[in-house]
Amino acid sequence: MDDRPVILLAGGEHADVVEQEFRARYDRDYRIELTGGVAACLDRARDLVGEGAQVAMVAAEHHLPDGTAIELLHQLPAVVATSRRVSLVPFEYFNDSLDELREAMTRRELDTYVILPRGPRDEEFHTALIELLSEWGWSVGRPVVTVTDLVAGPGDRNAAAIRDLLERLGFPYRSLGPDDDDAQAILEAAGPGAELPVVSTFRGQTLSAATPAAVTEAIYGGFDSIPEGVIADVAIVGAGPAGLATAVYAASEGLATVVLERDAIGGQAGSSSMIRNYLGFPRGISGMRLAQRSRIQAGRFGARFFTGRSTVRIEPGPPNEPEHQHVHVRGAQLCARTVVLATGVTYRRLGVPGVEDLVGAGVYYGAATSMAREMQDRDVYVVGGGNSAGQAAVHLAKFAGAVTILVRRASLAETMSDYLVREIEATPTIQVRTRTVVADGGGEGWLQWLRLEDLDTGESAKTSADGLFCLLGAEPDCSWLPEDVALDERGFVLTGRDVPRDAWVDGQPPASLETTVPGVFAVGDVRAGSMKRVASASGEGASVLPLVHAHLARLRAREFGA
């Protein structure tokens, strides 16, 4: 049986060219099938779904014998919602079709459009296809080549959290049951009395009673490997977009750079299924891919990453040593001349006891992209009205039978980007309930029901639910910072002219991204007044570097008496 994922083609007058281009590049890894027009392609897609085949992509020539690619791709999600949808446009028709294609993209009736190749080695054409297939393989298809194995029993919440971590890091893995044949060697390597979940990493380590923190520390190296007596130029606390941008620019400019992250590299943005409004990615990019590429980029310039433990304290170094900060994590200490706070924010808790008891068992904080596949044909609820909630709902709709977004406000447009509002409106399986909150919930070992309350009428009703994804807005976690670092009334870090005037030195405020502690900076979502977007966080991460250089120059001048 041929179990390769299928790329389904719909050809018109250029059918031979279409088939040749796909077979030449993708025939080894995908089943390439050519059909005729709209009706024939939809019929074949239904047959493939009925056979249990995975349809990775449907690529249709823009003009078909019985319609257009847009008409076909608009109907496709009702047959197979997870397939990537591409319109193939012959060069001679491109200008006349451009407005129609742009409108279709706005309505989310296709994922992208590309011009058919007019000669060999059209790498731009294939780059567009490969990007879509790569995202499909990560979010829908199961990995064939893996680097990590996870052995766990059914319903193991720690295992679910580890799977989510590995998905966010972009590490392909196998999930095995303890009775599977391939699991036996892993359990033997873990030793007698090993406790599930057990994780075997690509570094050759086998972790018993594994936790997400232990797994990420095993992947990137333990904090006990931080060299003693070495003072880094910059320690970055947090590896979301702001921290990663700081790491890339600092390391590329020759600064000794260390990044500390308690969770998955990428932060909240790393769990976004698709970011469509980030500069330079016209077809969008998943948060995982953006974080993965940024991490690799920073690492190639020499930045070092340490993950799995929270930063618990920052304090000045001893007065008899060159001026620097001590950054403490549990069981370890790092010395750094400057510190950049890029810790981002955490999602607010729902605070409903019956629901909180089921976190990890149908209830999740964040997008939890790893769980989307588990929601196949189920009833799912998303709480939140920001972009993260919208992205999660659109991604979940590719799998779930129905997705309901619950928001306190009267409209999504008040807090969500317009492109996402339009995409949600164009997705028939997504319903939006405004002025509605979760009042209660429960289930036997797994979420089974919710009680929803209408804020205007006060009426509540019980409904069945298989999954609840909470993306409730931002709260900073700055309780560990020293009292010398000024915060606003909501707990965000104050910088520059926003700091209290009594903290200004000689009538001058700190630098624009500097806190009330000289040499300690704040960027991204944790900073008071920042714009809570990926692009602005990355921009602040890059913008802090001149300020870091200026502080380092002052330290050198004082050290050498200049």
Side-chain angles (χ1 to χ4, degrees), residues 294-534:
S294 302
R295 168 179 54 80
I296 293 170
Q297 189 176 15
R300 286 179 176 173
F301 285 125
R304 294 191 65 185
F305 289 84
F306 296 94
T307 63
R309 302 187 200 177
S310 297
T311 304
V312 296
R313 191 168 73 256
I314 297 175
E315 60 187 11
N320 60 332
E321 295 182 6
E323 187 177 333
H324 65 279
Q325 300 287 333
H326 285 174
V327 183
H328 296 267
V329 297
R330 177 174 46 83
Q333 173 188 295
L334 171 72
C335 299
R337 294 180 177 85
T338 62
V339 176
V340 176
L341 305 174
T343 50
V345 292
T346 58
Y347 289 115
R348 295 191 187 100
R349 306 298 288 193
L350 197 60
V352 178
V355 173
E356 295 292 342
D357 292 342
L358 294 171
V359 171
V363 177
Y364 307 95
Y365 281 92
T369 51
S370 62
M371 292 306 300
R373 286 185 290 248
E374 309 301 321
M375 296 294 128
Q376 189 75 44
D377 300 325
R378 297 187 175 189
D379 292 329
V380 176
Y381 289 80
V382 175
V383 182
N387 278 9
S388 296
Q391 290 160 355
V394 169
H395 182 62
L396 286 162
K398 298 179 185 298
F399 303 88
V403 177
T404 303
I405 301 176
L406 307 175
V407 288
R408 284 180 169 270
R409 296 177 184 263
S411 167
L412 283 181
E414 295 182 39
T415 52
M416 191 178 291
S417 294
D418 180 66
Y419 81 95
L420 269 173
V421 174
R422 292 199 308 267
E423 190 165 359
I424 287 166
E425 291 172 347
T427 306
T429 53
I430 298 179
Q431 175 189 6
V432 180
R433 291 188 57 173
T434 58
R435 302 289 296 155
T436 304
V437 297
V438 176
D440 198 3
E444 295 297 324
W446 186 273
L447 180 70
Q448 294 172 322
W449 59 271
L450 294 171
R451 185 173 297 280
L452 307 180
E453 179 181 330
D454 187 307
L455 291 175
D456 292 324
T457 66
E459 296 178 355
S460 65
K462 188 176 180 179
T463 182
S464 62
D466 302 301
L468 178 67
F469 295 81
C470 302
L471 301 98
L472 293 167
E475 282 187 338
D477 179 16
C478 298
S479 58
W480 58 276
L481 290 174
E483 292 183 0
D484 292 345
V485 175
L487 310 177
D488 71 3
E489 65 279 1
R490 298 172 58 201
F492 290 89
V493 178
L494 292 168
T495 58
R497 289 186 173 274
D498 291 333
V499 308
R501 280 188 170 269
D502 58 11
W504 293 18
V505 178
D506 296 328
Q508 295 296 315
S512 59
L513 298 173
E514 192 171 27
T515 72
T516 43
V517 175
V520 177
F521 304 86
V523 295
D525 289 3
V526 74
R527 190 180 68 82
S530 67
M531 181 181 176
K532 306 300 187 273
R533 290 289 187 270
V534 172

Side-chain angles (χ1 to χ4, degrees), residues 20 69 122 166 283 359 509:
Q20 179 182 354
D122 188 340
L166 294 172
R283 289 176 288 274
V359 171

Side-chain angles (χ1 to χ4, degrees), residues 29-113:
D29 300 319
Y30 298 88
R31 242 165 80 196
I32 311 298
E33 294 199 13
L34 177 66
T35 64
V38 174
C41 186
L42 288 172
D43 286 343
R44 184 55 186 148
R46 292 187 188 97
D47 290 342
L48 289 166
V49 171
E51 296 167 8
Q54 289 187 307
V55 182
M57 177 181 287
V58 174
E61 195 173 335
H62 189 62
H63 295 290
L64 296 169
D66 57 348
T68 67
I70 294 173
E71 293 169 353
L72 164 60
L73 300 177
H74 172 70
Q75 299 177 64
L76 186 67
V79 180
V80 52
T82 56
S83 176
R84 299 305 185 255
R85 301 170 292 164
V86 183
S87 176
L88 308 172
V89 188
F91 181 78
E92 59 269 26
Y93 299 137
F94 182 70
N95 281 340
D96 292 338
S97 304
L98 190 54
D99 288 342
E100 182 185 12
L101 289 164
R102 284 172 173 165
E103 290 175 6
M105 286 284 290
T106 299
R107 296 190 302 267
R108 298 300 306 137
E109 293 178 326
L110 61 150
D111 289 303
T112 195
Y113 53 85

